[in-house]
Amino acid sequence: MDKRYEVFCLADRYFYETPDRLSARRPAAEANNSGATDSGATGSDSFYEAAQRPAPVGWDSFVSGDWLHVSPVREDGTPRPGRPSQGWKVHVSACLDNAEKTAAKVWDYCVPREIPFKFVPTAHALLLRNSKYAGRGSSGKFATIYPADEAELHTILLELGELLAGEPGPYILTDLRWQDGPLYVRYGGFAQRYCVDGADAEDSGSGSGSGGALVPAIEDPTGRLVPDRRDPAFHVPEWVTLPDFLAPQLAARNATTTADLPYRIEKALHFSNGGGVYVGTDTRSGEKVVLKEARPYAGLASDGADAVTRLEREKAALERLSGLGVAPEVRDWFTLGDHRFLVMDHVAGRTLNSFFARRHPLLAAEPDPAAVAEYTRWALRIHGAVEEAVAAVHGRGVVFNDLHMFNIMVSPDELSVMLLDFEAAAHVGEGRRQAIAHPGFVAPLDRRGFEVDRYALACLRLALFVPMTTLLVVDRGKAAHLAEVAAAQFPVDRAFLDEAVKVIAGGARGDAGPVAGGGAGSAAAGGVAAAGTGSAGTGSAGSGAAGTGSAVAGRGGGSYVPVDPADWPRSRDSMARAILASATPERDDRLFPGDIGQFADGGGLGVAHGAAGVLHALDLTGAGRYEAGEEWLLKHTAPPPRGTPLGFYDGLAGVAYVLERLGHPQRALELIERVLDEKWQRLAPDLHGGLAGVGLALDHLARATGEPGLRERASEAARLLADRQAGGARLTGRRAGLLHGASGPALLFLRLYEHSGDPALLDLAATALRQDLDRCVPDRHGTLLVDEGFRTMPYLGAGSVGIGMVLDSWLAHRADDDFEAARGSIAAAASLRYYAQPGLFNGRAGMVLHLGRTTTPDLAPERLAAQIASLGWYAVRYQGHLAFPGEQMMRLSMDLATGTAGCLLALGAACAPPPRSGEPVGLPFLPPLRRP
């Protein structure tokens, strides 16, 4: 579960939405001098008093995201000269209860001294910045002040530090604290400048794959822009000298260590904005322990409680449950450097979520009926054990309040469970609402006390079979459909699932008492129908579409899914209506709702998550041109926002490609010139945002427009990639697959070979494909998957199926036994019964696209039909039309990479008849090879 997504669920029920849209609009009479307004805000009464002040004469103020900027300007409104573009900046930390007076003191200090600054203008925005799963690199930063030089920096620290002495605030992890107050310092950029980060993820150790991305920048002594590091640790650029007056602060920071503790910390299990969880050893006894850390004033929950408050609640709950054997025992409680620590017994076993990849029988192309039946027995037994553990907790008057698969530890013998993470727990008498919860198990707001845990137990009944309960947050009516899918796949007593649906829908809430033991235990004892006995699950292990349970009829005879995905073109028209109904051409930050990636620099323009990809899918599948959308894209690329990435799927190169296809060649050429004006040669090698994608776009535009210089630049991109590949070096470090692996460069080599006939390019493509295949491993069924070290991936974007797409194109030109064997094993990866998500790059739609295109010999057409039918498992109705959830399955998405547009493109490629003229349906640069 990617915790970044949770904060983007707060502002809208259906779509991922930037959280700053929850901020209130500044009163119209007090808008900034330049006339700009917070177009995304609503309401008018929650801004701090300082944020409602009119900008003084000679100043400008404006809201951008969740910041209110206040700066001195010249008469024409431009920034006053003489201020640096980078240097030592001061950050001010604040809590919810002292932020308003802190903002007033910062304003009153900075304005008379003509020092530019910015601050978070609302309590809600501050809560989000300091929430449990907010970014650790930005947490705690309530205000930022921009000194002119080190002398002014020192003066600000002394004078403002005295004015704010004693005010509490969360520790800012990126910065150096000034004495013991709420002021912190860091060297970094003042102005918005960007550079290409050339560091490879394998070299940097970040694992983020950010190498080659456009990132915030500062200037080194030679005038070169280099990345402005913002990870949660204090750094000083190598050419910058720490001022003498900061040396004591650095010494004080370094003085706090764990050396004197009676515990040896050995591994970090988890980090959040609230602190960390660590495995260690008690050096006095040699026993393993778990240490849980809480940062004061940070990691806020929706009720405003910080991490320390929640850790105190966890300690109280565990002490109340001591001796039950269903929760860890408390060992110790201490403070180190203002951080609070709870020490608990180490619990042996594995969390329930980790069993899914290892045990779930639908992770196969042809599930074994015996394995399906055995898994069903196991799942019901586990649910019974969890229900008994929750009943024991309720027996002590405690509501768990955060039950989900990650908080359930299954014993090594898999016969019992322990419950973990009691920071949300409360005595039932407190009547406290749920403040922290997993999105797939969060109870409706009207549930209280033991009903919260009963709801989570009901969700667990479904999630053990089809782990898609995050969709219930969008539509609780989806529960009945998930029950139908589970019943079609597993021989489980239907009454077990129906009871879950009843609780989720609210029809079984009359008893607010504790969970009684034995409910699921009795289901475990007799709730599994024997395979082949004619139960609801007798056809579950069969192959083909008949066993998928896609647009399954409800128990009342109706269908939850508005239209069967296989019913083309009705499904196309329904998806197109959903996409157009969601469009917001009046907004500047995005046109169609999609993944949270659309709110990164560059807005919602790109092919993967932005307007370009959706417009491309609508046009290519015959759903029609959306002229208002094209006008939006033209308007917002004249010019594009600063910091817009350069690449194909993430930025300008891809937008240029789409605009040319839609009949706007002049704008396309303007955008590709912007790419070429940057240091594009330093981009990462990949297809998503790097050289391979830019090279393919350049080659396409060269042929489409006749511009010879673009063809030369495309060849240059290929030469750069060939040079990087020379000598056996891996092109893409640890990453593999179509979007971020060596298959992207292979695709560029291959397409240039087709245009030039140079066999050396085909050889280069083969070398790159072998690099990606070297990162693949067979699973227990012989299916070939990308090995990421901690998981294996089949998907189109980062998995083996994307490699298979390029392998198919390569094998159309030359025979190779190893490649032929690999693509057969990859075709199996595209034929599994279950995938966690529907999306094109990370879900089932990518499998539909591949199976509809591949030339793998002897591939049964039923495999494609099964994948098309099973897309209905994920469908959620939007205004009565067919729509699909995005990444993490917590909200709907309309974009190409993760949402409805991607499903539309995949279905169009598989279901639409071959066009008599025009471009066939498929991904850019991966046209269909044949029709099934």
Side-chain angles (χ1 to χ4, degrees), residues 907-924:
L907 287 170
C911 300
R916 295 180 181 177
S917 62
E919 186 176 351
V921 183
L923 270 183

Side-chain angles (χ1 to χ4, degrees), residues 183-330:
L183 300 187
Y184 296 77
V185 295
R186 182 180 81 87
Y187 189 95
F190 293 2
Q192 288 189 351
R193 296 191 291 179
Y194 299 89
C195 72
V196 175
D197 178 10
D200 183 82
E202 189 164 31
D203 297 328
S204 68
S206 68
S208 66
S210 61
L214 211 60
V215 297
I218 53 177
E219 189 176 311
D220 71 9
T222 69
R224 184 171 62 103
L225 291 179
V226 297
D228 183 3
R229 294 183 62 181
R230 301 184 180 186
D231 46 315
F234 178 63
H235 303 285
V236 181
E238 59 183 14
W239 68 88
V240 175
T241 301
L242 187 78
D244 290 342
F245 55 84
L246 293 179
Q249 322 308 320
L250 183 60
R253 178 188 177 104
N254 294 336
T256 301
T257 71
T258 60
D260 295 331
L261 293 178
Y263 307 104
R264 183 175 62 252
I265 296 178
E266 295 159 349
K267 183 173 67 171
L269 296 177
H270 170 69
F271 283 110
S272 75
N273 190 27
V277 181
Y278 311 91
V279 171
T281 298
D282 188 327
T283 56
R284 297 162 297 189
S285 65
E287 296 174 298
K288 276 201 163 188
V289 295
V290 171
L291 298 91
K292 191 167 184 178
E293 172 194 26
R295 298 175 55 217
Y297 315 115
L300 304 181
S302 61
D303 61 356
D306 71 351
V308 172
T309 300
R310 291 198 310 278
L311 196 63
E312 290 170 344
R313 292 173 179 172
E314 179 162 16
K315 176 175 177 287
L318 292 177
E319 288 173 344
R320 184 179 289 271
L321 299 173
S322 179
L324 281 179
V326 298
E329 296 290 334
V330 173

Side-chain angles (χ1 to χ4, degrees), residues 73-99:
V73 293
R74 296 187 292 193
E75 289 185 5
D76 62 359
T78 59
R80 291 189 194 176
R83 284 282 167 179
S85 58
Q86 65 189 50
W88 290 97
K89 61 177 72 174
V90 178
H91 285 122
V92 185
S93 179
C95 303
L96 293 176
D97 57 2
N98 69 349

Side-chain angles (χ1 to χ4, degrees), residues 486-498:
Q489 299 299 313
F490 295 92
V492 58
D493 188 340
R494 192 50 205 270
F496 178 81
L497 301 172
D498 288 346

Side-chain angles (χ1 to χ4, degrees), residues 688-916:
H688 185 269
L691 276 175
V694 170
L696 285 162
L698 287 165
D699 180 63
H700 168 84
L701 291 170
R703 289 181 291 107
T705 66
E707 292 283 340
L710 299 183
R711 180 163 295 143
E712 293 172 6
R713 299 285 76 76
S715 297
E716 181 182 357
R719 286 195 300 273
L720 289 168
L721 290 170
D723 290 344
R724 294 188 191 185
Q725 188 170 275
R730 280 198 55 82
L731 274 171
T732 53
R734 291 190 296 261
R735 307 193 77 173
L738 178 65
L739 294 184
H740 299 286
S743 294
L747 184 59
L748 174 61
F749 294 140
L750 181 61
R751 295 305 172 220
L752 293 182
Y753 161 75
E754 291 170 344
H755 303 147
S756 70
D758 182 357
L761 289 167
L762 196 59
D763 294 338
L764 287 168
T767 299
L769 283 168
R770 289 192 178 95
Q771 288 189 1
D772 267 4
L773 289 174
D774 286 344
R775 298 301 311 274
C776 294
V777 294
D779 70 358
R780 63 183 183 272
H781 304 291
T783 302
L784 203 60
L785 305 169
V786 167
D787 182 7
E788 293 188 339
F790 63 100
R791 63 182 178 183
T792 54
M793 297 286 278
Y795 297 117
L796 176 64
S800 55
V801 166
I803 303 171
M805 294 278 282
V806 185
L807 272 178
D808 269 312
S809 294
W810 194 95
L811 286 166
H813 299 285
R814 186 185 293 174
D816 186 285
D817 291 343
D818 292 338
F819 283 3
E820 194 67 61
R823 77 164 166 178
S825 299
I826 289 171
S831 307
L832 307 183
R833 184 65 59 82
Y834 180 80
Y835 299 95
Q837 301 180 138
L840 184 64
F841 288 161
N842 290 316
R844 195 182 293 271
M847 311 306 163
V848 171
L849 184 68
H850 180 57
L851 293 175
R853 177 183 184 274
T854 184
T855 52
T856 301
D858 303 321
L859 187 66
E862 291 81 8
R863 291 194 177 188
L864 173 60
Q867 296 300 339
I868 292 172
S870 298
L871 265 179
W873 291 7
Y874 317 86
V876 177
R877 296 170 293 202
Y878 180 68
Q879 297 192 14
H881 307 307
L882 181 62
F884 292 92
E887 199 80 7
Q888 307 298 306
M889 301 264 287
M890 291 186 278
R891 290 294 185 270
L892 303 184
S893 169
M894 299 300 174
D895 72 27
L896 183 77
T898 70
T900 306
C903 295
L904 171 65
L905 185 77
L907 287 170
C911 300
R916 295 180 181 177

Side-chain angles (χ1 to χ4, degrees), residues 301-568:
S302 61
D303 61 356
D306 71 351
V308 172
T309 300
R310 291 198 310 278
L311 196 63
E312 290 170 344
R313 292 173 179 172
E314 179 162 16
K315 176 175 177 287
L318 292 177
E319 288 173 344
R320 184 179 289 271
L321 299 173
S322 179
L324 281 179
V326 298
E329 296 290 334
V330 173
R331 281 177 170 259
D332 200 356
W333 177 253
F334 64 89
T335 300
L336 178 67
D338 293 335
H339 292 202
R340 196 66 56 85
F341 285 82
L342 174 65
V343 185
M344 300 167 282
D345 285 345
H346 180 267
V347 177
R350 298 170 53 139
T351 54
L352 181 55
N353 68 290
S354 69
F355 282 85
F356 185 81
R358 189 162 64 99
R359 272 191 171 272
H360 204 282
L362 301 192
L363 299 179
E366 301 290 343
D368 177 13
V372 173
E374 192 282 328
Y375 175 84
T376 304
R377 287 188 288 270
W378 178 87
L380 292 173
R381 184 177 74 245
I382 292 296
H383 190 277
V386 175
E387 202 166 43
E388 290 175 1
V390 172
V393 170
H394 289 182
R396 294 277 176 94
V398 174
V399 181
F400 191 13
N401 262 334
D402 192 20
L403 179 69
H404 55 81
M405 288 192 181
F406 291 78
N407 284 350
I408 299 168
M409 183 71 80
V410 180
S411 64
D413 61 8
E414 301 182 22
L415 296 177
S416 63
V417 300
M418 295 271 278
L419 304 180
L420 309 175
D421 199 357
F422 280 79
E423 67 177 43
H427 190 273
V428 67
E430 297 179 38
R432 197 184 319 137
R433 283 172 54 177
Q434 202 172 19
I436 290 178
H438 186 284
F441 296 80
V442 60
L445 292 177
D446 61 347
R447 309 295 170 98
R448 291 286 194 280
F450 297 130
E451 285 186 351
V452 171
D453 292 345
R454 293 184 65 214
Y455 183 91
L457 284 167
C459 291
L460 186 61
R461 292 189 181 209
L462 300 179
L464 281 165
F465 298 101
V466 282
M468 296 156 58
T469 55
T470 48
L471 295 177
L472 302 181
V473 180
V474 180
D475 181 9
R476 266 194 282 160
K478 183 71 177 177
H481 185 218
L482 295 179
E484 296 288 347
V485 173
Q489 299 299 313
F490 295 92
V492 58
D493 188 340
R494 192 50 205 270
F496 178 81
L497 301 172
D498 288 346
E499 175 63 21
V501 174
K502 187 177 179 183
V503 171
I504 291 167
R509 294 179 47 221
D511 176 18
V515 170
S522 56
V528 182
T533 61
S535 73
T538 53
S540 65
S543 64
T548 63
S550 70
V552 189
R555 301 215 79 183
S559 175
Y560 175 85
V561 180
V563 56
D564 193 318
D567 188 3
W568 189 271

